[in-house]
């Protein structure tokens, strides 16, 4: 018997961010006023090889990550392998300060979950692992290809 898994999707109109609230470092997206974005309340089921999309995020003060991390209210060095997970995978903080193993490009890296990529608000999708530059470097991705990469991950 197959179990159906329903993904809650809602279309929301983007709102122009307040002045100074959109830091587009690391080619980050900011909502565009009037554009429709799909938002999510859950993420795909976690398995031993969960498919995801790796994005680049700055976790230091004044970078595109914005505020301190949700898990510990701290900023983190981009030289440390840390990530933010989409809302469903973040699971109300249940993975906070735990490690995940990310695999891509023939390599693996262990990174600590420190934040949420809020997929209930645009533009974060439900399959995002938003990673520091240390993760990208450990995976051996050439710098000119940083920004988006298909990966798999699992709890470490």
């Amino acid at each position: 018997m197959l179990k159906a898994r329903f993904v809650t999707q809602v279309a929301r109109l983007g709102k122009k961010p307040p002045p100074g609230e959109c830091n587009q470092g690391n080619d980050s997206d900011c909502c565009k006023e009037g554009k429709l974005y799909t938002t999510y309340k859950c993420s795909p089921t976690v398995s031993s090889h969960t498919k995801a999309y790796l994005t680049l995020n700055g976790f230091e003060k004044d970078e595109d990550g914005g505020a301190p991390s949700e898990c510990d209210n701290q900023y983190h060095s981009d030289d440390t392998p840390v990530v933010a997970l989409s809302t469903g995978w973040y699971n109300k903080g249940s993975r906070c300060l735990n490690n995940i193993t990310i695999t891509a490009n023939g390599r693996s890296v262990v990174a600590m979950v420190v934040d949420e990529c809020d997929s209930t608000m645009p533009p974060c999708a439900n399959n995002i692992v938003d990673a520091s530059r240390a993760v990208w470097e450990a995976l051996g991705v050439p710098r000119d290809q940083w920004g988006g990469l298909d990966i798999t991950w699992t709890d470490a």
Side-chain angles (χ1 to χ4, degrees):
M1 183 168 136
L2 293 173
K3 287 186 178 180
R5 179 167 170 89
F6 296 96
V7 176
T8 304
Q9 296 182 21
V10 177
R12 294 184 193 258
L13 282 177
K15 296 178 184 171
K16 186 175 181 179
E21 293 291 316
C22 179
N23 181 335
Q24 291 185 298
N26 295 323
D27 294 323
S28 291
D29 292 329
C30 290
C31 287
K32 293 179 178 49
E33 191 166 3
K35 181 178 177 181
L36 272 180
Y37 293 89
T38 302
T39 61
Y40 305 87
K41 291 190 177 181
C42 60
S43 296
T45 302
V46 175
S47 68
S48 62
H49 291 88
T50 307
K51 291 182 180 181
Y53 193 68
L54 190 72
T55 56
L56 179 62
N57 189 34
F59 291 86
E60 296 178 1
K61 189 172 182 172
D62 297 325
E63 289 193 322
D64 56 310
S69 297
E70 287 289 324
C71 292
D72 58 5
N73 201 35
Q74 301 289 315
Y75 292 101
H76 295 269
S77 169
D78 292 330
D79 295 324
T80 303
V82 293
V83 298
L85 296 178
S86 291
T87 298
W89 291 334
Y90 180 76
N91 194 19
K92 299 177 185 161
S94 70
R95 287 193 167 84
C96 272
L97 307 180
N98 291 326
N99 291 328
I100 64 170
T101 302
I102 300 166
T103 304
N105 208 30
R107 295 186 184 184
S108 293
V109 60
V110 173
M112 183 172 35
V113 177
V114 296
D115 209 351
E116 174 184 17
C117 183
D118 188 354
S119 49
T120 67
M121 299 297 292
C124 188
N126 70 335
N127 65 337
I128 298 297
V129 175
D130 207 10
S132 65
R133 71 173 174 242
V135 171
W136 288 86
E137 289 170 350
L139 292 173
V141 179
R143 193 173 187 96
D144 65 345
Q145 295 176 22
W146 289 8
L149 179 69
D150 290 324
I151 62 160
T152 61
W153 73 273
T154 190
D155 291 305

